[in-house]
Amino acid sequence: MTGVAQLLSDEGLGVFATSGTYPNDQWAIFLGLTPDKPDRAITLMTYPVEDNDLTSVITGVQLRFRGTRDPREVENQSDAVFDLLHNRSHYRVNGIPVNLSWRQSGAWMGQDANQRIERVENFYLRTERESPHLKL
């Protein structure tokens, strides 16, 4: 998750700050939980998709977008992430080789209690990962 968050930040799609301080006028990038502020937030969570007996695995990364009350803002930001990650190949995140990433699904979630628009996008990353029992 940290590597994808850093990639989004490096490409100007948000601010990933381990200090927890974020400007109100930019998209904040979080891992795991989404705090109430700031309004514009991208939260990343990972989940296993395919772990077989090889070193090639597929990990899902769910990105939860929360914007203001304007749905175009969330749509534009999710489109920018799509442009960055969909069908991207042969790159590294946090030292882990990613052979290919693609968007698998996405959906509007409606509005939160403060009427801010929310959307999720699920990207799959095919990576090469060592395990204690298999070596690259």
Side-chain angles (χ1 to χ4, degrees):
M1 281 193 307
T2 301
V4 174
Q6 191 60 57
L7 176 62
L8 294 174
S9 184
D10 290 348
E11 294 294 325
L13 299 181
V15 176
F16 179 57
T18 55
S19 67
T21 305
Y22 295 90
N24 287 329
D25 63 339
Q26 295 187 22
W27 288 83
I29 301 171
F30 299 103
L31 303 179
L33 300 173
T34 310
D36 192 48
K37 296 286 181 188
D39 289 334
R40 293 175 188 89
I42 304 171
T43 303
L44 284 70
M45 290 290 293
T46 61
Y47 55 95
V49 174
E50 181 179 286
D51 293 323
N52 54 32
D53 61 348
L54 303 173
T55 57
S56 179
V57 300
I58 299 174
T59 301
V61 178
Q62 184 172 80
L63 294 94
R64 176 182 169 199
F65 297 86
R66 182 186 67 209
T68 61
R69 295 179 181 187
D70 183 354
R72 294 169 296 184
E73 184 176 68
V74 171
E75 186 168 21
N76 291 340
Q77 192 67 7
S78 68
D79 284 349
V81 171
F82 176 87
D83 290 344
L84 176 66
L85 296 178
H86 186 68
N87 287 333
R88 184 176 180 146
S89 63
H90 306 294
Y91 65 103
R92 290 184 173 269
V93 289
N94 213 24
I96 298 169
V98 178
N99 294 331
L100 181 66
S101 59
W102 67 95
R103 182 174 63 190
Q104 183 67 20
S105 63
W108 290 100
M109 296 174 54
Q111 295 175 305
D112 70 2
N114 295 315
Q115 298 181 336
R116 297 175 292 193
I117 303 295
E118 294 183 307
R119 178 175 178 78
V120 295
E121 299 278 341
N122 294 290
F123 284 85
Y124 284 4
L125 280 68
R126 181 176 299 279
T127 62
E128 296 295 327
R129 311 262 329 237
E130 282 190 8
S131 80
H133 309 288
L134 292 171
K135 300 293 180 193
L136 293 176

